[in-house]
Amino acid sequence: MEIIWYHPSQSAAAWINGLQQRLPQARVRAWQPGDKGPADYALVRSPPTEMLQGRATLRGVFALGAGVDEILKQLQQNPEMLPDSVPLYRLEDTGMARQMQEYAVHSVLSWFRRFDDYRLQQQQHCWQPLPAYTRENFTIGILGAGVLGQSVAESLKPWGFPLRVWSRSPKAIDGVTSFAGRDALPAFLQETRVVINLLPSTQETINLIDHHFLQQLPHGAFFLNIARGAQVVEEDLLAALNSGQLKAAALDVFQVEPLPEAHPLWSHPRVTITPHNAAVTLIDEAIDYIARAITQDQAGEPPQGRVDRQRGY
């Protein structure tokens, strides 16, 4: 069994050694330009077209990241890069869910306990207790109810907030209200005090979070984006922050990354910024997942995480 690997910024050694330990029957190599040798599986992040082109006999391609929008965009631009018959797999949870939980719980509790307001008061040397928010009126709405969305919902359950999710199709999650489809989006937004974006990046979700979307939230709502920057119209987000329609935002992803130095989001007093690291791929967990999937595939069992290229996830 032959496995080829490519990542533009990570060292190959840890991946190759880890895979060979878990799959001793495999020969794993870092792909180099000009390599046309045999391959049964490919592990990739931003692969050159040449790496995958002409490899119609691949049994599977694994995208090394939290999403697959990057490689799907490459395939749209270069349809000849990989035949539709070759399965494409995403990493469903390789330690990223726990990281997303940490980020979401931290942000929600910070807003609920008004630590953002106290931080601003501190800058003014102001000693003034503020009225507390009530838990029953602090509804958390999660956009996206896949593996990560459901995981974040589970992490918020112990805190007693009303929880709801919005997704393409209905989801049955104990203790969580489910909304599905575009027609249900206004009802989802109407009483949501905190919106957490965990949607996949598809043609349907690009620029979804715009002026019309934000105006349907209660005045003074909060917004957390740990999905993709392309889903947010940043000018509308800024306008909502400046008007008070949004009270605060925590943003990990942006339309352009790195965020340009002169962008007004950097200096907005109600915005918290992190550099697209809400959840990073943990190598050991990712190798465990991929080795397990390849073992299943070799045994004739369909691995989990196959991407529907038409849906985009």
Side-chain angles (χ1 to χ4, degrees):
M1 178 170 52
E2 301 280 346
I3 300 175
I4 52 176
W5 175 95
Y6 177 86
H7 195 293
S9 60
Q10 291 189 3
S11 169
W15 287 91
I16 291 174
N17 293 338
L19 283 162
Q20 289 182 331
Q21 288 173 12
R22 292 163 176 81
L23 299 169
Q25 75 278 26
R27 288 183 292 184
V28 189
R29 69 184 187 275
W31 182 86
Q32 300 292 335
D35 180 349
K36 298 295 184 182
D40 298 295
Y41 300 94
L43 283 53
V44 299
R45 179 70 185 266
S46 303
T49 301
E50 178 194 354
M51 179 185 181
L52 300 178
Q53 198 167 26
R55 296 188 182 274
T57 59
L58 280 169
R59 294 178 62 110
V61 174
F62 291 86
L64 303 178
V68 292
D69 47 303
E70 189 176 79
I71 190 168
L72 288 177
K73 184 177 181 180
Q74 287 183 273
L75 294 175
Q76 289 172 357
Q77 295 172 345
N78 301 286
E80 75 286 354
M81 183 177 177
L82 189 70
D84 289 340
S85 58
V86 175
L88 175 65
Y89 297 99
R90 64 183 182 272
L91 303 184
E92 286 199 323
D93 180 16
T94 54
M96 287 179 279
R98 175 62 64 87
Q99 297 173 73
M100 292 294 195
Q101 289 178 337
E102 294 166 349
Y103 201 118
V105 170
H106 167 82
S107 298
V108 168
L109 293 182
S110 179
W111 289 326
F112 178 67
R113 291 298 307 274
R114 305 197 65 169
F115 292 147
D116 57 325
D117 291 316
Y118 286 122
R119 187 166 51 250
L120 292 176
Q121 286 192 171
Q122 177 184 343
Q123 295 171 5
Q124 302 166 5
H125 299 193
C126 175
W127 183 286
Q128 178 62 53
L130 298 170
Y133 295 134
T134 57
R135 205 172 300 270
E136 59 271 20
N137 293 321
F138 209 75
T139 298
I140 313 299
I142 301 169
L143 295 167
V147 172
L148 295 178
Q150 292 191 41
S151 175
V152 166
E154 289 294 331
S155 72
L156 288 165
K157 281 183 181 180
W159 301 99
F161 301 111
L163 297 173
R164 52 178 56 184
V165 295
W166 179 81
S167 54
R168 180 172 180 160
S169 56
K171 297 293 188 296
I173 307 171
D174 185 48
V176 180
T177 305
S178 176
F179 296 79
R182 280 285 187 139
D183 291 344
L185 188 57
F188 167 83
L189 295 172
Q190 189 174 13
E191 296 179 2
T192 296
R193 289 291 302 278
V194 179
V195 175
I196 301 174
N197 181 30
L198 277 165
L199 287 169
S201 183
T202 68
Q203 289 301 313
E204 295 175 345
T205 64
I206 290 175
N207 292 330
L208 172 70
I209 301 164
D210 59 5
H211 172 79
H212 179 67
F213 177 103
L214 296 169
Q215 290 302 309
Q216 295 178 78
L217 292 166
H219 187 80
F222 302 86
F223 176 61
L224 169 60
N225 193 10
I226 45 180
R228 287 292 184 264
Q231 295 158 345
V232 179
V233 179
E234 290 175 354
E235 294 81 1
D236 294 352
L237 178 68
L238 274 164
L241 286 162
N242 289 333
S243 71
Q245 175 62 18
L246 280 183
K247 188 169 183 291
L251 309 173
D252 184 60
V253 288
F254 303 89
Q255 290 272 359
V256 176
E257 296 181 0
L259 186 65
E261 187 174 346
H263 200 291
L265 284 171
W266 276 117
S267 57
H268 199 287
R270 288 293 184 176
V271 173
T272 301
I273 288 173
T274 50
H276 200 148
N277 65 346
V280 298
T281 301
L282 302 179
I283 293 178
D284 283 340
E285 285 83 348
I287 294 173
D288 285 340
Y289 184 91
I290 292 167
R292 198 162 50 243
I294 289 176
T295 300
Q296 288 176 325
D297 185 63
Q298 289 286 303
E301 303 171 13
Q304 291 184 333
R306 182 165 181 172
V307 175
D308 183 329
R309 297 198 202 180
Q310 298 302 314
R311 287 190 175 188
Y313 58 92

